[in-house]
Amino acid sequence: MSSCRPSATPVDTKSKLSASSGKPYTNPSHYRSLAEALQYLTFTRPDISYVVQQVCLFMHDPRESHFAALKRIIRYVKGTLDFGLHLYSSAPTKFLSYTDAVWAGCPDTRRSTSGYCVFLGDNLISWSAKRQATLSRSSAEAEYRGVAC
């Protein structure tokens, strides 16, 4: 895929990956190999952490749609080679934290997803994106659970 067209985003925001979407992928070991390689990249590329985690959920039974999502991540990485964690030498004057949650974002379990990032000055020092452990009854409850974790 070295000559592929880059993608502007790492994931299609309109569709959700599901365990039973499409035909089984013909070479599961190839899928696993690419997904595992992308897992190493998430150490310095938090922008792809969530979407890589999503494609890794289906390593036991990958489908054609899962492989298409994996290829889209690779196309996004190709177009954003200069992205990643950058540490700047500056006096830490501010401590900022951002959080967000998506109520019932997982199509299989209906669990909410949440994430946060913490900055000290201009440097990102902590982040997380994950599926919540329990079901939320509303978007407000999903937001509160996201902040509490």
Side-chain angles (χ1 to χ4, degrees):
M1 294 187 63
S2 61
S3 61
C4 70
R5 184 174 45 98
S7 174
T9 59
V11 67
D12 181 13
T13 58
K14 293 185 179 29
S15 66
K16 302 280 185 183
L17 293 177
S18 176
S20 61
S21 60
K23 299 184 307 185
Y25 184 59
T26 56
N27 190 352
S29 62
H30 180 246
Y31 180 90
R32 290 182 194 103
S33 174
L34 289 173
E36 290 169 357
L38 285 173
Q39 279 183 317
Y40 284 108
L41 190 58
T42 62
F43 290 129
T44 58
R45 295 287 303 264
D47 56 330
I48 63 169
S49 293
Y50 179 76
V51 69
V52 170
Q53 180 265 337
Q54 289 296 302
V55 296
C56 287
L57 288 174
F58 307 105
M59 288 171 88
H60 65 286
D61 185 24
R63 304 288 176 153
E64 292 288 337
S65 61
H66 304 148
F67 186 68
L70 194 137
K71 286 196 313 187
R72 184 177 178 130
I73 299 168
I74 294 171
R75 288 178 40 226
Y76 172 76
V77 169
K78 183 185 184 304
T80 58
L81 292 175
D82 56 337
F83 283 19
L85 289 181
H86 301 282
L87 298 176
Y88 305 100
S89 60
S90 64
T93 57
K94 57 188 173 194
F95 185 76
L96 290 172
S97 177
Y98 300 98
T99 184
D100 194 16
V102 177
W103 179 54
C106 180
D108 293 326
T109 63
R110 304 297 297 160
R111 290 189 181 167
S112 303
T113 53
S114 60
Y116 69 84
C117 60
V118 180
F119 290 87
L120 180 60
D122 294 330
N123 297 313
L124 179 66
I125 59 171
S126 180
W127 69 92
S128 174
K130 62 182 178 179
R131 187 173 16 183
Q132 293 179 359
T134 58
L135 291 173
S136 299
R137 288 181 232 139
S138 67
S139 60
E141 184 179 347
E143 293 279 347
Y144 285 128
R145 286 185 194 276
V147 171
C149 292

